[in-house]
Amino acid sequence: MQQPSPTPQPDPMSQTHAILAGDHMSAWLGIVVDRVAPGAALISLEIRHEMVNGFGMAHGGIIFAFADTCFALTCNDPAGDPATITVASGADINFLAPAYQGQTLTAEGALVSRTGRSGIYDIHVRQGATLVAEFRGRSRTIRRPSVVDASAAAASP
């Protein structure tokens, strides 16, 4: 008699999102996706040596890019419409506390409001219990553009 197969356990590394497949920046940053759901995301990042500015703190651009990735994951439904994408129409960030090499940051995103094709999302960046930055992103859902080969476009007259 054949034994029943054990219930498959979810692979924690499979908590990804289709938009990360070609996202070389987020891969370089070393972002880990902890959780994604429609209108919500939780990601983490360890601050490395090359992410630190001349003051010994995480560079603001790194923190912004980290929050922006969380924003993208939050405003693009993982099972969304393949004909559309949701992109940033604007964003603001307030830096509240420094982060340092070796620390792990988390970013948690949440939908604040969505009307038609426009939305507002808040991203909270933390190091432990310390709030490092507040990011507010404004989004717009658009038709998915066709991918253009940049090298072919550059070679065109």
Side-chain angles (χ1 to χ4, degrees), residues 9-10 12 46 51 63 85 105 109 111 120 125 127 132 156:
Q9 297 300 312
E46 183 177 337
M51 298 174 172
I63 295 171
I85 59 173
L105 300 180
L111 170 66
I120 297 173
V125 178
Q127 193 286 308
V132 171
S156 301

Short mmCIF file of all heavy atoms in Angstrom, two decimals, residues 9-10 12 46 51 63 85 105 109 111 120 125 127 132 156:
data_model
loop_
_atom_site.label_atom_id
_atom_site.label_comp_id
_atom_site.label_asym_id
_atom_site.label_seq_id
_atom_site.Cartn_x
_atom_site.Cartn_y
_atom_site.Cartn_z
N GLN A 9 5.43 21.76 2.45
CA GLN A 9 5.60 22.97 3.24
C GLN A 9 6.02 24.11 2.32
O GLN A 9 6.81 23.89 1.40
CB GLN A 9 6.67 22.76 4.33
CG GLN A 9 6.28 21.69 5.34
CD GLN A 9 5.00 22.05 6.07
OE1 GLN A 9 4.84 23.15 6.55
NE2 GLN A 9 4.06 21.11 6.13
N PRO A 10 5.50 25.31 2.55
CA PRO A 10 5.91 26.42 1.69
C PRO A 10 7.39 26.73 1.84
O PRO A 10 7.94 26.66 2.93
CB PRO A 10 5.05 27.59 2.16
CG PRO A 10 4.56 27.21 3.51
CD PRO A 10 4.60 25.71 3.59
N PRO A 12 10.17 29.28 2.16
CA PRO A 12 10.20 30.71 2.49
C PRO A 12 10.85 31.55 1.40
O PRO A 12 10.55 32.73 1.25
CB PRO A 12 11.01 30.77 3.78
CG PRO A 12 11.66 29.45 3.93
CD PRO A 12 10.90 28.48 3.09
N GLU A 46 20.04 43.88 4.66
CA GLU A 46 21.19 44.11 5.55
C GLU A 46 22.07 45.19 4.93
O GLU A 46 22.43 45.12 3.76
CB GLU A 46 22.00 42.84 5.76
CG GLU A 46 23.14 43.07 6.73
CD GLU A 46 23.96 41.82 7.03
OE1 GLU A 46 23.45 40.71 6.85
OE2 GLU A 46 25.12 41.99 7.44
N MET A 51 27.18 50.35 1.05
CA MET A 51 25.93 51.11 1.16
C MET A 51 26.05 52.27 2.15
O MET A 51 25.09 52.99 2.37
CB MET A 51 24.80 50.19 1.61
CG MET A 51 24.50 49.07 0.65
SD MET A 51 23.28 47.99 1.39
CE MET A 51 22.92 46.91 0.02
N ILE A 63 18.42 53.83 1.29
CA ILE A 63 17.18 53.73 2.04
C ILE A 63 15.99 54.05 1.14
O ILE A 63 14.96 53.37 1.17
CB ILE A 63 17.21 54.62 3.30
CG1 ILE A 63 18.29 54.11 4.26
CG2 ILE A 63 15.85 54.67 3.98
CD1 ILE A 63 18.58 55.01 5.44
N ILE A 85 0.58 47.59 -15.35
CA ILE A 85 1.56 47.69 -14.27
C ILE A 85 1.23 48.95 -13.48
O ILE A 85 0.60 49.88 -14.00
CB ILE A 85 3.02 47.75 -14.78
CG1 ILE A 85 3.23 48.93 -15.72
CG2 ILE A 85 3.41 46.43 -15.43
CD1 ILE A 85 4.68 49.15 -16.14
N LEU A 105 17.47 46.30 8.04
CA LEU A 105 16.29 47.15 7.95
C LEU A 105 15.10 46.33 7.48
O LEU A 105 15.27 45.37 6.72
CB LEU A 105 16.51 48.29 6.96
CG LEU A 105 17.66 49.25 7.23
CD1 LEU A 105 17.72 50.31 6.14
CD2 LEU A 105 17.53 49.88 8.60
N GLY A 109 4.98 47.99 3.75
CA GLY A 109 4.15 48.86 2.92
C GLY A 109 2.69 48.54 3.08
O GLY A 109 2.31 47.38 3.29
N LEU A 111 -1.36 49.94 1.57
CA LEU A 111 -2.24 50.79 0.78
C LEU A 111 -2.96 51.76 1.72
O LEU A 111 -3.51 51.35 2.74
CB LEU A 111 -3.26 49.93 0.04
CG LEU A 111 -4.41 50.65 -0.64
CD1 LEU A 111 -3.92 51.51 -1.78
CD2 LEU A 111 -5.44 49.64 -1.13
N ILE A 120 -2.28 55.82 -3.16
CA ILE A 120 -1.34 56.36 -2.19
C ILE A 120 -0.95 55.22 -1.26
O ILE A 120 -1.82 54.47 -0.78
CB ILE A 120 -1.96 57.52 -1.38
CG1 ILE A 120 -2.31 58.68 -2.30
CG2 ILE A 120 -1.01 57.97 -0.27
CD1 ILE A 120 -3.08 59.79 -1.61
N VAL A 125 10.10 52.29 7.19
CA VAL A 125 11.41 51.62 7.22
C VAL A 125 11.89 51.65 8.66
O VAL A 125 11.97 52.70 9.28
CB VAL A 125 12.43 52.33 6.30
CG1 VAL A 125 13.79 51.66 6.38
CG2 VAL A 125 11.92 52.35 4.85
N GLN A 127 14.64 49.85 11.78
CA GLN A 127 15.76 49.02 12.23
C GLN A 127 15.35 48.62 13.65
O GLN A 127 15.36 49.43 14.56
CB GLN A 127 17.07 49.81 12.22
CG GLN A 127 18.32 48.94 12.38
CD GLN A 127 18.52 48.43 13.79
OE1 GLN A 127 18.51 49.19 14.75
NE2 GLN A 127 18.68 47.13 13.92
N VAL A 132 13.27 54.44 10.97
CA VAL A 132 14.38 55.06 10.24
C VAL A 132 13.88 56.05 9.20
O VAL A 132 14.45 57.13 9.02
CB VAL A 132 15.26 53.97 9.59
CG1 VAL A 132 16.29 54.56 8.65
CG2 VAL A 132 15.92 53.11 10.66
N SER A 156 19.60 52.90 -33.48
CA SER A 156 18.72 53.48 -34.50
C SER A 156 19.08 54.94 -34.73
O SER A 156 19.38 55.65 -33.79
CB SER A 156 17.26 53.38 -34.06
OG SER A 156 16.91 52.04 -33.84
#
